[in-house]
Amino acid sequence: MTKPASGCVDAHHHIWRQQDLPWLLGPMLPRIFGPYEPIRRDYTIAEYLADVSAAGITRSVYVQANWAPARFLDEVRYVSDAARETGWPHAIVAYADFTAEDVRSQLEQLAAFPLVRGVRMQLHWHDNPQYRFASGADLARDPTLRRNIARLSEYGWAFDLQVFAPQMAGAAELADACPGVSFVLQHAGMLEDLSPAGIESWRAGMALLAQRPNVVAKLSGLGTFLHRNDPAHIGFVVGETVRLFGAGRCMFGSNFPIEKLWTRYEALFDAYRAATQSLSAADRQAIFHDTAAGIYRLA
């Protein structure tokens, strides 16, 4: 597969200093991605650039990494400083608390940073406590949260949407309630139950979200529940997602350094290239460049 003429965008990665992330400083706890001792350390932009060097990545999008919520501006400042020093990343998905009575003061503070192009507050909740993050399963239906997310349209920012299959009906209602906001579905809907019933539930939820024109899918984090780089699984999820959303509403993201727990960047990227090799050049251009460049307004 030839790379897109305009280069490839990694639409989902992190960098960090261990000292800034409470979850990397505290005791090892069960996490959605399994044991994580190898990443309980600094992961700098220099290491990220070394990781992507052989894959032909030309631009990237940083996604918030769960600093202490009160330090949401410190996180954006740290990443913005990295961008000033190195030219990477090219866009930032920041954090804001959309359960606040009025999120506008947080958004105004974030607007001082020109690389902010989106915001993520993780809404995923699961019966399994190890997979649980949000305070409840139906947060997407909360009227305060909906009213606050709708404010993103005033800034032209996307909302990075993270939910499991049983939450997708509420997420679809959220997208309907905020027609001026682009929603980026994280990790292709976080397929974690690979039983026939689990896959069918995920597929039905994905179809529901795909009916919303303001929702796009991020092809990322597909090793999260397997704890390995599995080209067959990536091929299945990518194929199903592209079938439902169309390539023009899909984008690639590495989820590094989380996926670095079990694979090299180039091997991961090769799995995505293999998963898309039967698509047209235009479709591959969309997945590896155009969709992310449009949603995150990459110059």
Side-chain angles (χ1 to χ4, degrees):
M1 185 194 95
T2 57
K3 296 182 176 68
S6 43
C8 297
V9 176
D10 180 350
H12 193 110
H13 76 90
H14 313 288
I15 57 173
W16 58 56
R17 297 173 301 204
Q18 183 184 15
Q19 68 190 43
D20 296 315
L21 276 67
W23 64 274
L24 286 178
L25 286 173
M28 285 278 292
L29 297 172
R31 300 280 179 190
I32 197 169
F33 39 76
Y36 56 100
E37 188 65 41
I39 59 171
R40 279 166 51 93
R41 58 179 180 82
D42 293 354
Y43 182 75
T44 65
I45 194 66
E47 184 174 352
Y48 172 77
L49 291 174
D51 285 337
V52 307
S53 60
I57 304 298
T58 56
R59 287 182 286 184
S60 77
V61 179
Y62 169 89
V63 177
Q64 62 88 211
N66 295 327
W67 290 44
R71 297 191 61 203
F72 72 106
L73 292 178
D74 292 335
E75 179 179 17
V76 175
R77 189 173 294 110
Y78 165 67
V79 180
S80 295
D81 287 345
R84 275 193 295 272
E85 293 167 7
T86 69
W88 293 70
H90 302 82
I92 296 172
V93 176
Y95 171 82
D97 179 6
F98 290 95
T99 65
E101 183 59 30
D102 191 336
V103 78
R104 282 179 290 185
S105 64
Q106 296 175 61
L107 301 184
E108 281 300 305
Q109 292 176 84
L110 289 172
F113 297 90
L115 288 184
V116 173
R117 307 292 165 74
V119 185
R120 177 173 79 158
M121 178 182 176
Q122 290 157 280
L123 306 183
H124 60 287
W125 190 96
H126 197 281
D127 289 336
N128 182 343
Q130 291 188 25
Y131 296 172
R132 190 176 301 166
F133 191 91
S135 58
D138 277 337
L139 199 54
R141 291 186 166 111
D142 180 80
T144 298
L145 180 128
R146 288 185 176 185
R147 182 178 67 249
N148 280 327
I149 289 177
R151 298 281 185 193
L152 293 176
S153 65
E154 300 169 18
Y155 300 84
W157 293 346
F159 181 79
D160 273 34
L161 173 69
Q162 191 155 330
V163 292
F164 285 109
Q167 300 176 279
M168 288 181 181
E173 294 169 16
L174 172 62
D176 288 342
C178 306
V181 178
S182 293
F183 290 83
V184 184
L185 180 65
Q186 309 287 275
H187 308 330
M190 307 229 300
L191 175 59
E192 46 79 31
D193 181 354
L194 296 179
S195 71
I199 291 173
E200 197 51 45
S201 173
W202 168 79
R203 188 182 280 125
M206 292 287 281
L208 196 62
L209 287 170
Q211 293 168 14
R212 275 66 192 175
N214 57 330
V215 180
V216 302
K218 191 176 284 186
L219 305 172
S220 59
L222 301 186
T224 298
F225 302 100
L226 303 179
H227 305 163
R228 66 180 185 273
N229 178 23
D230 187 328
H233 179 70
I234 289 172
F236 169 73
V237 173
V238 169
E240 287 293 295
T241 305
V242 171
R243 179 180 65 82
L244 290 166
F245 283 83
R249 291 167 61 200
C250 293
M251 66 179 79
F252 161 75
S254 72
N255 199 32
F256 252 53
I258 303 300
E259 298 258 342
K260 191 170 182 172
L261 287 167
W262 45 77
T263 191
R264 296 178 298 105
Y265 196 102
E266 190 172 7
L268 179 70
F269 192 63
D270 283 347
Y272 280 92
R273 291 176 65 186
T276 57
Q277 64 183 350
S278 65
L279 300 178
S280 69
D283 284 351
R284 297 193 302 269
Q285 171 80 21
I287 290 168
F288 290 105
H289 180 273
D290 292 354
T291 304
I295 291 291
Y296 295 119
R297 295 184 287 112
L298 302 178

PDB file of all heavy atoms in Angstrom, residues 2-34:
ATOM      1  N   THR A   2       0.637   2.123  -0.950  1.00  0.00           N
ATOM      2  CA  THR A   2       1.362   3.388  -0.944  1.00  0.00           C
ATOM      3  C   THR A   2       0.761   4.305   0.110  1.00  0.00           C
ATOM      4  O   THR A   2      -0.442   4.276   0.381  1.00  0.00           O
ATOM      5  CB  THR A   2       1.266   4.061  -2.323  1.00  0.00           C
ATOM      6  OG1 THR A   2      -0.110   4.240  -2.657  1.00  0.00           O
ATOM      7  CG2 THR A   2       1.940   3.201  -3.389  1.00  0.00           C
ATOM      8  N   LYS A   3       1.600   5.119   0.696  1.00  0.00           N
ATOM      9  CA  LYS A   3       1.133   6.067   1.708  1.00  0.00           C
ATOM     10  C   LYS A   3       0.427   7.225   1.025  1.00  0.00           C
ATOM     11  O   LYS A   3       0.718   7.565  -0.123  1.00  0.00           O
ATOM     12  CB  LYS A   3       2.299   6.560   2.558  1.00  0.00           C
ATOM     13  CG  LYS A   3       2.975   5.461   3.375  1.00  0.00           C
ATOM     14  CD  LYS A   3       4.086   6.041   4.216  1.00  0.00           C
ATOM     15  CE  LYS A   3       4.703   4.953   5.111  1.00  0.00           C
ATOM     16  NZ  LYS A   3       5.432   3.944   4.326  1.00  0.00           N
ATOM     17  N   PRO A   4      -0.544   7.871   1.711  1.00  0.00           N
ATOM     18  CA  PRO A   4      -1.210   9.036   1.123  1.00  0.00           C
ATOM     19  C   PRO A   4      -0.206  10.085   0.686  1.00  0.00           C
ATOM     20  O   PRO A   4       0.816  10.298   1.351  1.00  0.00           O
ATOM     21  CB  PRO A   4      -2.096   9.551   2.266  1.00  0.00           C
ATOM     22  CG  PRO A   4      -2.355   8.340   3.099  1.00  0.00           C
ATOM     23  CD  PRO A   4      -1.090   7.533   3.023  1.00  0.00           C
ATOM     24  N   ALA A   5      -0.499  10.732  -0.437  1.00  0.00           N
ATOM     25  CA  ALA A   5       0.438  11.720  -0.978  1.00  0.00           C
ATOM     26  C   ALA A   5       0.720  12.835   0.010  1.00  0.00           C
ATOM     27  O   ALA A   5       1.812  13.411   0.024  1.00  0.00           O
ATOM     28  CB  ALA A   5      -0.130  12.279  -2.279  1.00  0.00           C
ATOM     29  N   SER A   6      -0.262  13.151   0.844  1.00  0.00           N
ATOM     30  CA  SER A   6      -0.098  14.241   1.809  1.00  0.00           C
ATOM     31  C   SER A   6       0.412  13.755   3.154  1.00  0.00           C
ATOM     32  O   SER A   6       0.427  14.505   4.124  1.00  0.00           O
ATOM     33  CB  SER A   6      -1.422  14.984   1.977  1.00  0.00           C
ATOM     34  OG  SER A   6      -2.500  14.085   2.067  1.00  0.00           O
ATOM     35  N   GLY A   7       0.826  12.484   3.236  1.00  0.00           N
ATOM     36  CA  GLY A   7       1.342  11.948   4.486  1.00  0.00           C
ATOM     37  C   GLY A   7       0.251  11.317   5.321  1.00  0.00           C
ATOM     38  O   GLY A   7      -0.932  11.367   4.980  1.00  0.00           O
ATOM     39  N   CYS A   8       0.645  10.716   6.433  1.00  0.00           N
ATOM     40  CA  CYS A   8      -0.290  10.015   7.317  1.00  0.00           C
ATOM     41  C   CYS A   8      -0.437  10.749   8.642  1.00  0.00           C
ATOM     42  O   CYS A   8       0.555  11.275   9.175  1.00  0.00           O
ATOM     43  CB  CYS A   8       0.201   8.595   7.585  1.00  0.00           C
ATOM     44  SG  CYS A   8       0.292   7.563   6.102  1.00  0.00           S
ATOM     45  N   VAL A   9      -1.648  10.765   9.154  1.00  0.00           N
ATOM     46  CA  VAL A   9      -1.950  11.401  10.440  1.00  0.00           C
ATOM     47  C   VAL A   9      -2.202  10.313  11.478  1.00  0.00           C
ATOM     48  O   VAL A   9      -3.003   9.403  11.244  1.00  0.00           O
ATOM     49  CB  VAL A   9      -3.189  12.306  10.332  1.00  0.00           C
ATOM     50  CG1 VAL A   9      -3.557  12.877  11.703  1.00  0.00           C
ATOM     51  CG2 VAL A   9      -2.959  13.425   9.334  1.00  0.00           C
ATOM     52  N   ASP A  10      -1.523  10.427  12.605  1.00  0.00           N
ATOM     53  CA  ASP A  10      -1.851   9.612  13.778  1.00  0.00           C
ATOM     54  C   ASP A  10      -2.806  10.456  14.620  1.00  0.00           C
ATOM     55  O   ASP A  10      -2.397  11.432  15.255  1.00  0.00           O
ATOM     56  CB  ASP A  10      -0.580   9.275  14.560  1.00  0.00           C
ATOM     57  CG  ASP A  10      -0.855   8.427  15.800  1.00  0.00           C
ATOM     58  OD1 ASP A  10      -2.037   8.249  16.161  1.00  0.00           O
ATOM     59  OD2 ASP A  10       0.116   7.972  16.422  1.00  0.00           O
ATOM     60  N   ALA A  11      -4.075  10.077  14.634  1.00  0.00           N
ATOM     61  CA  ALA A  11      -5.118  10.905  15.251  1.00  0.00           C
ATOM     62  C   ALA A  11      -5.351  10.606  16.719  1.00  0.00           C
ATOM     63  O   ALA A  11      -6.302  11.148  17.301  1.00  0.00           O
ATOM     64  CB  ALA A  11      -6.430  10.748  14.485  1.00  0.00           C
ATOM     65  N   HIS A  12      -4.475   9.789  17.332  1.00  0.00           N
ATOM     66  CA  HIS A  12      -4.699   9.490  18.752  1.00  0.00           C
ATOM     67  C   HIS A  12      -3.416   8.955  19.381  1.00  0.00           C
ATOM     68  O   HIS A  12      -3.059   7.787  19.212  1.00  0.00           O
ATOM     69  CB  HIS A  12      -5.810   8.444  18.898  1.00  0.00           C
ATOM     70  CG  HIS A  12      -6.327   8.291  20.295  1.00  0.00           C
ATOM     71  ND1 HIS A  12      -7.584   8.701  20.678  1.00  0.00           N
ATOM     72  CD2 HIS A  12      -5.761   7.788  21.409  1.00  0.00           C
ATOM     73  CE1 HIS A  12      -7.768   8.436  21.958  1.00  0.00           C
ATOM     74  NE2 HIS A  12      -6.656   7.871  22.429  1.00  0.00           N
ATOM     75  N   HIS A  13      -2.732   9.820  20.111  1.00  0.00           N
ATOM     76  CA  HIS A  13      -1.573   9.369  20.885  1.00  0.00           C
ATOM     77  C   HIS A  13      -1.424  10.249  22.117  1.00  0.00           C
ATOM     78  O   HIS A  13      -2.091  11.279  22.271  1.00  0.00           O
ATOM     79  CB  HIS A  13      -0.293   9.386  20.041  1.00  0.00           C
ATOM     80  CG  HIS A  13       0.285  10.748  19.822  1.00  0.00           C
ATOM     81  ND1 HIS A  13       1.212  11.313  20.668  1.00  0.00           N
ATOM     82  CD2 HIS A  13       0.062  11.674  18.849  1.00  0.00           C
ATOM     83  CE1 HIS A  13       1.553  12.524  20.222  1.00  0.00           C
ATOM     84  NE2 HIS A  13       0.858  12.761  19.128  1.00  0.00           N
ATOM     85  N   HIS A  14      -0.533   9.836  23.002  1.00  0.00           N
ATOM     86  CA  HIS A  14      -0.256  10.563  24.233  1.00  0.00           C
ATOM     87  C   HIS A  14       1.246  10.816  24.358  1.00  0.00           C
ATOM     88  O   HIS A  14       2.052  10.140  23.724  1.00  0.00           O
ATOM     89  CB  HIS A  14      -0.720   9.762  25.452  1.00  0.00           C
ATOM     90  CG  HIS A  14      -2.101   9.185  25.323  1.00  0.00           C
ATOM     91  ND1 HIS A  14      -3.230   9.957  25.367  1.00  0.00           N
ATOM     92  CD2 HIS A  14      -2.524   7.909  25.127  1.00  0.00           C
ATOM     93  CE1 HIS A  14      -4.300   9.185  25.217  1.00  0.00           C
ATOM     94  NE2 HIS A  14      -3.889   7.936  25.066  1.00  0.00           N
ATOM     95  N   ILE A  15       1.588  11.783  25.163  1.00  0.00           N
ATOM     96  CA  ILE A  15       2.934  11.940  25.717  1.00  0.00           C
ATOM     97  C   ILE A  15       2.725  12.328  27.178  1.00  0.00           C
ATOM     98  O   ILE A  15       1.642  12.798  27.555  1.00  0.00           O
ATOM     99  CB  ILE A  15       3.784  12.998  24.986  1.00  0.00           C
ATOM    100  CG1 ILE A  15       3.080  14.370  24.996  1.00  0.00           C
ATOM    101  CG2 ILE A  15       4.087  12.541  23.561  1.00  0.00           C
ATOM    102  CD1 ILE A  15       3.928  15.509  24.443  1.00  0.00           C
ATOM    103  N   TRP A  16       3.740  12.114  28.017  1.00  0.00           N
ATOM    104  CA  TRP A  16       3.542  12.480  29.416  1.00  0.00           C
ATOM    105  C   TRP A  16       4.846  12.478  30.198  1.00  0.00           C
ATOM    106  O   TRP A  16       5.850  11.913  29.777  1.00  0.00           O
ATOM    107  CB  TRP A  16       2.536  11.559  30.089  1.00  0.00           C
ATOM    108  CG  TRP A  16       2.859  10.078  30.077  1.00  0.00           C
ATOM    109  CD1 TRP A  16       3.979   9.455  30.545  1.00  0.00           C
ATOM    110  CD2 TRP A  16       1.996   9.033  29.590  1.00  0.00           C
ATOM    111  NE1 TRP A  16       3.886   8.094  30.390  1.00  0.00           N
ATOM    112  CE2 TRP A  16       2.677   7.793  29.807  1.00  0.00           C
ATOM    113  CE3 TRP A  16       0.734   9.000  29.029  1.00  0.00           C
ATOM    114  CZ2 TRP A  16       2.131   6.559  29.450  1.00  0.00           C
ATOM    115  CZ3 TRP A  16       0.190   7.770  28.678  1.00  0.00           C
ATOM    116  CH2 TRP A  16       0.878   6.576  28.893  1.00  0.00           C
ATOM    117  N   ARG A  17       4.768  13.148  31.340  1.00  0.00           N
ATOM    118  CA  ARG A  17       5.748  12.995  32.413  1.00  0.00           C
ATOM    119  C   ARG A  17       5.044  12.221  33.512  1.00  0.00           C
ATOM    120  O   ARG A  17       3.938  12.582  33.918  1.00  0.00           O
ATOM    121  CB  ARG A  17       6.207  14.360  32.944  1.00  0.00           C
ATOM    122  CG  ARG A  17       6.933  15.226  31.938  1.00  0.00           C
ATOM    123  CD  ARG A  17       7.198  16.610  32.463  1.00  0.00           C
ATOM    124  NE  ARG A  17       5.958  17.304  32.837  1.00  0.00           N
ATOM    125  CZ  ARG A  17       5.825  18.623  32.895  1.00  0.00           C
ATOM    126  NH1 ARG A  17       6.844  19.406  32.593  1.00  0.00           N
ATOM    127  NH2 ARG A  17       4.683  19.163  33.247  1.00  0.00           N
ATOM    128  N   GLN A  18       5.682  11.195  33.992  1.00  0.00           N
ATOM    129  CA  GLN A  18       5.043  10.349  35.004  1.00  0.00           C
ATOM    130  C   GLN A  18       4.585  11.165  36.204  1.00  0.00           C
ATOM    131  O   GLN A  18       3.516  10.908  36.781  1.00  0.00           O
ATOM    132  CB  GLN A  18       6.014   9.249  35.450  1.00  0.00           C
ATOM    133  CG  GLN A  18       5.384   8.275  36.460  1.00  0.00           C
ATOM    134  CD  GLN A  18       6.374   7.240  36.964  1.00  0.00           C
ATOM    135  OE1 GLN A  18       7.580   7.393  36.790  1.00  0.00           O
ATOM    136  NE2 GLN A  18       5.875   6.186  37.597  1.00  0.00           N
ATOM    137  N   GLN A  19       5.351  12.191  36.560  1.00  0.00           N
ATOM    138  CA  GLN A  19       5.050  12.957  37.767  1.00  0.00           C
ATOM    139  C   GLN A  19       3.708  13.682  37.678  1.00  0.00           C
ATOM    140  O   GLN A  19       3.135  14.073  38.696  1.00  0.00           O
ATOM    141  CB  GLN A  19       6.155  13.997  37.997  1.00  0.00           C
ATOM    142  CG  GLN A  19       6.177  15.112  36.951  1.00  0.00           C
ATOM    143  CD  GLN A  19       7.394  16.009  37.036  1.00  0.00           C
ATOM    144  OE1 GLN A  19       8.523  15.549  37.208  1.00  0.00           O
ATOM    145  NE2 GLN A  19       7.169  17.309  36.932  1.00  0.00           N
ATOM    146  N   ASP A  20       3.171  13.842  36.465  1.00  0.00           N
ATOM    147  CA  ASP A  20       1.941  14.616  36.286  1.00  0.00           C
ATOM    148  C   ASP A  20       0.673  13.769  36.289  1.00  0.00           C
ATOM    149  O   ASP A  20      -0.428  14.317  36.357  1.00  0.00           O
ATOM    150  CB  ASP A  20       2.000  15.388  34.963  1.00  0.00           C
ATOM    151  CG  ASP A  20       3.100  16.428  34.958  1.00  0.00           C
ATOM    152  OD1 ASP A  20       3.237  17.144  35.962  1.00  0.00           O
ATOM    153  OD2 ASP A  20       3.823  16.514  33.949  1.00  0.00           O
ATOM    154  N   LEU A  21       0.808  12.458  36.208  1.00  0.00           N
ATOM    155  CA  LEU A  21      -0.358  11.599  36.048  1.00  0.00           C
ATOM    156  C   LEU A  21      -0.569  10.754  37.299  1.00  0.00           C
ATOM    157  O   LEU A  21       0.215   9.844  37.576  1.00  0.00           O
ATOM    158  CB  LEU A  21      -0.197  10.688  34.824  1.00  0.00           C
ATOM    159  CG  LEU A  21      -0.585  11.316  33.482  1.00  0.00           C
ATOM    160  CD1 LEU A  21       0.344  12.428  33.084  1.00  0.00           C
ATOM    161  CD2 LEU A  21      -0.642  10.252  32.396  1.00  0.00           C
ATOM    162  N   PRO A  22      -1.627  11.036  38.057  1.00  0.00           N
ATOM    163  CA  PRO A  22      -1.857  10.281  39.292  1.00  0.00           C
ATOM    164  C   PRO A  22      -1.915   8.777  39.070  1.00  0.00           C
ATOM    165  O   PRO A  22      -1.424   8.008  39.903  1.00  0.00           O
ATOM    166  CB  PRO A  22      -3.204  10.832  39.783  1.00  0.00           C
ATOM    167  CG  PRO A  22      -3.289  12.211  39.206  1.00  0.00           C
ATOM    168  CD  PRO A  22      -2.615  12.124  37.876  1.00  0.00           C
ATOM    169  N   TRP A  23      -2.478   8.332  37.963  1.00  0.00           N
ATOM    170  CA  TRP A  23      -2.635   6.899  37.739  1.00  0.00           C
ATOM    171  C   TRP A  23      -1.311   6.212  37.413  1.00  0.00           C
ATOM    172  O   TRP A  23      -1.195   4.991  37.531  1.00  0.00           O
ATOM    173  CB  TRP A  23      -3.676   6.627  36.666  1.00  0.00           C
ATOM    174  CG  TRP A  23      -3.346   7.125  35.281  1.00  0.00           C
ATOM    175  CD1 TRP A  23      -3.577   8.378  34.780  1.00  0.00           C
ATOM    176  CD2 TRP A  23      -2.769   6.375  34.213  1.00  0.00           C
ATOM    177  NE1 TRP A  23      -3.168   8.470  33.481  1.00  0.00           N
ATOM    178  CE2 TRP A  23      -2.663   7.247  33.103  1.00  0.00           C
ATOM    179  CE3 TRP A  23      -2.332   5.056  34.078  1.00  0.00           C
ATOM    180  CZ2 TRP A  23      -2.150   6.841  31.873  1.00  0.00           C
ATOM    181  CZ3 TRP A  23      -1.804   4.651  32.858  1.00  0.00           C
ATOM    182  CH2 TRP A  23      -1.714   5.531  31.783  1.00  0.00           C
ATOM    183  N   LEU A  24      -0.288   6.999  37.021  1.00  0.00           N
ATOM    184  CA  LEU A  24       1.038   6.428  36.788  1.00  0.00           C
ATOM    185  C   LEU A  24       1.927   6.498  38.025  1.00  0.00           C
ATOM    186  O   LEU A  24       2.984   5.864  38.070  1.00  0.00           O
ATOM    187  CB  LEU A  24       1.734   7.159  35.634  1.00  0.00           C
ATOM    188  CG  LEU A  24       1.220   6.863  34.228  1.00  0.00           C
ATOM    189  CD1 LEU A  24       1.975   7.696  33.202  1.00  0.00           C
ATOM    190  CD2 LEU A  24       1.337   5.375  33.895  1.00  0.00           C
ATOM    191  N   LEU A  25       1.507   7.263  39.000  1.00  0.00           N
ATOM    192  CA  LEU A  25       2.293   7.417  40.228  1.00  0.00           C
ATOM    193  C   LEU A  25       1.838   6.476  41.329  1.00  0.00           C
ATOM    194  O   LEU A  25       2.647   6.020  42.139  1.00  0.00           O
ATOM    195  CB  LEU A  25       2.196   8.866  40.732  1.00  0.00           C
ATOM    196  CG  LEU A  25       2.978   9.919  39.949  1.00  0.00           C
ATOM    197  CD1 LEU A  25       2.621  11.306  40.472  1.00  0.00           C
ATOM    198  CD2 LEU A  25       4.479   9.675  40.060  1.00  0.00           C
ATOM    199  N   GLY A  26       0.548   6.192  41.392  1.00  0.00           N
ATOM    200  CA  GLY A  26       0.002   5.379  42.468  1.00  0.00           C
ATOM    201  C   GLY A  26       0.325   3.910  42.291  1.00  0.00           C
ATOM    202  O   GLY A  26       1.046   3.513  41.365  1.00  0.00           O
ATOM    203  N   PRO A  27      -0.220   3.089  43.159  1.00  0.00           N
ATOM    204  CA  PRO A  27       0.021   1.638  43.058  1.00  0.00           C
ATOM    205  C   PRO A  27      -0.580   1.067  41.786  1.00  0.00           C
ATOM    206  O   PRO A  27      -1.546   1.609  41.237  1.00  0.00           O
ATOM    207  CB  PRO A  27      -0.669   1.089  44.307  1.00  0.00           C
ATOM    208  CG  PRO A  27      -1.705   2.108  44.661  1.00  0.00           C
ATOM    209  CD  PRO A  27      -1.112   3.430  44.286  1.00  0.00           C
ATOM    210  N   MET A  28      -0.005  -0.017  41.304  1.00  0.00           N
ATOM    211  CA  MET A  28      -0.548  -0.718  40.138  1.00  0.00           C
ATOM    212  C   MET A  28      -1.952  -1.206  40.448  1.00  0.00           C
ATOM    213  O   MET A  28      -2.185  -1.876  41.451  1.00  0.00           O
ATOM    214  CB  MET A  28       0.346  -1.901  39.790  1.00  0.00           C
ATOM    215  CG  MET A  28       1.655  -1.514  39.125  1.00  0.00           C
ATOM    216  SD  MET A  28       1.470  -1.221  37.336  1.00  0.00           S
ATOM    217  CE  MET A  28       1.126  -2.871  36.760  1.00  0.00           C
ATOM    218  N   LEU A  29      -2.902  -0.846  39.586  1.00  0.00           N
ATOM    219  CA  LEU A  29      -4.292  -1.255  39.745  1.00  0.00           C
ATOM    220  C   LEU A  29      -4.756  -1.937  38.469  1.00  0.00           C
ATOM    221  O   LEU A  29      -4.182  -1.711  37.398  1.00  0.00           O
ATOM    222  CB  LEU A  29      -5.172  -0.025  40.028  1.00  0.00           C
ATOM    223  CG  LEU A  29      -4.892   0.747  41.315  1.00  0.00           C
ATOM    224  CD1 LEU A  29      -5.711   2.037  41.338  1.00  0.00           C
ATOM    225  CD2 LEU A  29      -5.203  -0.115  42.534  1.00  0.00           C
ATOM    226  N   PRO A  30      -5.790  -2.768  38.544  1.00  0.00           N
ATOM    227  CA  PRO A  30      -6.332  -3.347  37.308  1.00  0.00           C
ATOM    228  C   PRO A  30      -6.796  -2.236  36.363  1.00  0.00           C
ATOM    229  O   PRO A  30      -7.513  -1.324  36.759  1.00  0.00           O
ATOM    230  CB  PRO A  30      -7.515  -4.187  37.803  1.00  0.00           C
ATOM    231  CG  PRO A  30      -7.217  -4.468  39.238  1.00  0.00           C
ATOM    232  CD  PRO A  30      -6.491  -3.263  39.744  1.00  0.00           C
ATOM    233  N   ARG A  31      -6.350  -2.302  35.126  1.00  0.00           N
ATOM    234  CA  ARG A  31      -6.695  -1.295  34.124  1.00  0.00           C
ATOM    235  C   ARG A  31      -7.300  -1.962  32.902  1.00  0.00           C
ATOM    236  O   ARG A  31      -7.096  -3.149  32.661  1.00  0.00           O
ATOM    237  CB  ARG A  31      -5.446  -0.510  33.699  1.00  0.00           C
ATOM    238  CG  ARG A  31      -4.747   0.245  34.832  1.00  0.00           C
ATOM    239  CD  ARG A  31      -5.437   1.541  35.160  1.00  0.00           C
ATOM    240  NE  ARG A  31      -4.762   2.230  36.276  1.00  0.00           N
ATOM    241  CZ  ARG A  31      -5.242   3.286  36.904  1.00  0.00           C
ATOM    242  NH1 ARG A  31      -6.408   3.789  36.524  1.00  0.00           N
ATOM    243  NH2 ARG A  31      -4.590   3.836  37.901  1.00  0.00           N
ATOM    244  N   ILE A  32      -7.969  -1.160  32.114  1.00  0.00           N
ATOM    245  CA  ILE A  32      -8.659  -1.646  30.931  1.00  0.00           C
ATOM    246  C   ILE A  32      -7.694  -2.311  29.958  1.00  0.00           C
ATOM    247  O   ILE A  32      -8.049  -3.224  29.216  1.00  0.00           O
ATOM    248  CB  ILE A  32      -9.417  -0.465  30.290  1.00  0.00           C
ATOM    249  CG1 ILE A  32     -10.480  -0.946  29.309  1.00  0.00           C
ATOM    250  CG2 ILE A  32      -8.463   0.511  29.639  1.00  0.00           C
ATOM    251  CD1 ILE A  32     -11.414   0.156  28.867  1.00  0.00           C
ATOM    252  N   PHE A  33      -6.433  -1.856  29.971  1.00  0.00           N
ATOM    253  CA  PHE A  33      -5.434  -2.370  29.035  1.00  0.00           C
ATOM    254  C   PHE A  33      -4.478  -3.356  29.677  1.00  0.00           C
ATOM    255  O   PHE A  33      -3.450  -3.700  29.096  1.00  0.00           O
ATOM    256  CB  PHE A  33      -4.654  -1.222  28.388  1.00  0.00           C
ATOM    257  CG  PHE A  33      -4.325  -0.096  29.335  1.00  0.00           C
ATOM    258  CD1 PHE A  33      -3.323  -0.220  30.271  1.00  0.00           C
ATOM    259  CD2 PHE A  33      -5.032   1.092  29.266  1.00  0.00           C
ATOM    260  CE1 PHE A  33      -3.025   0.805  31.146  1.00  0.00           C
ATOM    261  CE2 PHE A  33      -4.739   2.138  30.132  1.00  0.00           C
ATOM    262  CZ  PHE A  33      -3.732   1.987  31.077  1.00  0.00           C
ATOM    263  N   GLY A  34      -4.790  -3.820  30.880  1.00  0.00           N
ATOM    264  CA  GLY A  34      -3.982  -4.852  31.515  1.00  0.00           C
ATOM    265  C   GLY A  34      -2.776  -4.295  32.266  1.00  0.00           C
ATOM    266  O   GLY A  34      -2.706  -3.101  32.558  1.00  0.00           O
TER     267      GLY A  34
END
